[in-house]
């Protein structure tokens, strides 16, 4: 199986690159942000609890996220070619939990970390905010999301770097050029 953790700041292109990867490699795509937004839209208990957190750019508590991932892994299609984890893990505790959950299933995952300049990220997200309807695509929340990324999520990159399970991607590029870098890495690690 080819399991990928797509990491990167808000607006770095995790969702966009996931679509490219799905198209070429046929992997399953798990965007935790999409799952959480669907919970909010459904009006579920979880959705009611997390709506405000997401709108303000804060993270959903680890135990809820780990439970969600555990459930996903337990109920996934056994025949899938691999999984793209888009937006998970976002804390070191989540990373440690994912390692254990995957090991239990004799699986592992490699991190692709996309770097994009902050000005470019803000530009992309403000532009998307004109039509996305996302409660967190406004200037104040974008700044908060970026701060949370630097303070809490970047240490997760070191977690994978130390385990030699890490590749850096320069996302200050067109979507196609960014995917070309990812594609080269995926070809290499499949050999
Ligand atoms: P999530 O939905 O994951 O949001 P995010 O990390 O802030 O990232 P985005 O989805 O906004 O951006 P992206 O990197 O996917 O970029 P995209 O491809 O869309 O999470 C939302 C919230 O949910 C979190 O803040 C948190 O509250 C909660 N949450 C989620 N996971 C959690 C977890 N594990 N633990 C705790 N809480 C969690 O691109 C952005 C825009 O740029 C698009 O318009 C796109 O068309 C454009 N674009 C993309 N690439 C390029 C390019 N190369 N050139 C020009 N434009 C581009
Ligand atoms: Mg996304």
């Amino acid at each position: 199986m080819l399991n990928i953790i797509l990491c990167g700041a808000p607006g770095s292109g995790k969702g966009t690159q996931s679509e490219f990867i799905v198209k070429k490699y046929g992997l399953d795509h798990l965007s935790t942000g999409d799952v959480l937004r669907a919970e909010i839209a459904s009006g579920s208990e979880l959705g009611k609890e997390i709506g405000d957190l997401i709108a303000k750019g804060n993270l959903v508590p680890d135990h809820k996220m780990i439970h969600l991932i555990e459930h996903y892994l337990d109920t996934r299609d056994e025949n899938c070619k691999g999984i793209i984890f888009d937006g998970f893990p976002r804390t070191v505790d989540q990373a440690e939990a994912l390692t254990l959950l995957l090991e239990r299933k004799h699986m592992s995952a490699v991190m692709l970390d996309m770097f994009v300049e902050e000005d470019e990220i803000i530009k992309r997200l403000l532009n998307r905010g004109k039509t996305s309807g996302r409660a967190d695509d406004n200037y104040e929340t974008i700044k908060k999301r970026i701060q949370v990324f630097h303070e809490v999520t970047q240490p997760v990159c070191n977690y994978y770097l130390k385990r030699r399970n890490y590749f850096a991607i320069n996302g200050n590029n067109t979507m196609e050029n960014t995917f070309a870098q990812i594609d080269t890495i995926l070809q290499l690690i499949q050999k």
Side-chain angles (χ1 to χ4, degrees):
M1 277 180 90
L2 177 61
N3 298 312
I4 300 165
I5 296 162
L6 262 192
C7 189
S12 57
K14 300 183 292 296
T16 305
Q17 294 303 320
S18 292
E19 285 179 27
F20 281 94
I21 298 169
V22 168
K23 204 166 163 197
K24 175 146 187 192
Y25 290 90
L27 307 186
D28 289 0
H29 176 209
L30 173 64
S31 158
T32 44
D34 287 349
V35 172
L36 297 173
R37 281 184 289 279
E39 287 288 337
I40 295 170
S42 76
S44 69
E45 274 312 306
L46 175 62
K48 284 177 197 155
E49 285 169 33
I50 63 177
D52 204 41
L53 283 175
I54 293 187
K56 293 202 167 105
N58 292 305
L59 294 184
V60 171
D62 284 340
H63 68 276
K64 290 190 200 299
M65 296 310 303
I66 293 164
H67 180 74
L68 192 149
I69 296 295
E70 187 170 16
H71 177 74
Y72 176 87
L73 288 172
D74 284 343
T75 56
R76 79 187 198 285
D77 176 3
E78 294 281 341
N79 297 318
C80 81
K81 293 180 178 168
I83 303 165
I84 306 167
F85 295 93
D86 163 359
F88 185 94
R90 258 175 153 99
T91 67
V92 172
D93 283 354
Q94 289 182 15
E96 284 169 349
L98 180 63
T99 300
L100 290 178
L101 288 171
L102 290 177
E103 274 174 6
R104 213 191 277 166
K105 295 184 185 299
H106 310 289
M107 290 158 69
S108 62
V110 60
M111 172 174 277
L112 304 183
D113 181 17
M114 282 188 292
F115 175 78
V116 179
E117 297 285 351
E118 186 165 323
D119 287 355
E120 169 68 12
I121 281 169
I122 294 173
K123 200 170 79 186
R124 286 183 191 177
L125 292 179
L126 286 176
N127 191 40
R128 188 181 66 186
K130 290 177 194 160
T131 53
S132 68
R134 272 180 58 164
D136 56 354
D137 275 349
N138 58 78
Y139 186 74
E140 193 185 340
T141 309
I142 291 166
K143 290 293 276 188
K144 175 69 182 178
R145 285 155 68 198
I146 293 171
Q147 181 198 340
V148 170
F149 174 76
H150 288 308
E151 288 177 7
V152 188
T153 304
Q154 267 188 332
V156 179
C157 303
N158 291 332
Y159 176 93
Y160 287 94
L161 187 60
K162 274 190 206 150
R163 283 162 183 74
R164 296 168 191 255
N165 245 347
Y166 174 92
F167 295 90
I169 308 287
N170 179 0
N172 290 301
N173 263 304
T174 61
M175 297 174 189
E176 291 75 16
N177 285 346
T178 303
F179 179 65
Q181 296 172 58
I182 292 177
D183 196 19
T184 302
I185 291 165
L186 297 185
Q187 300 277 356
L188 274 174
I189 59 178
Q190 276 193 314
K191 278 187 183 156

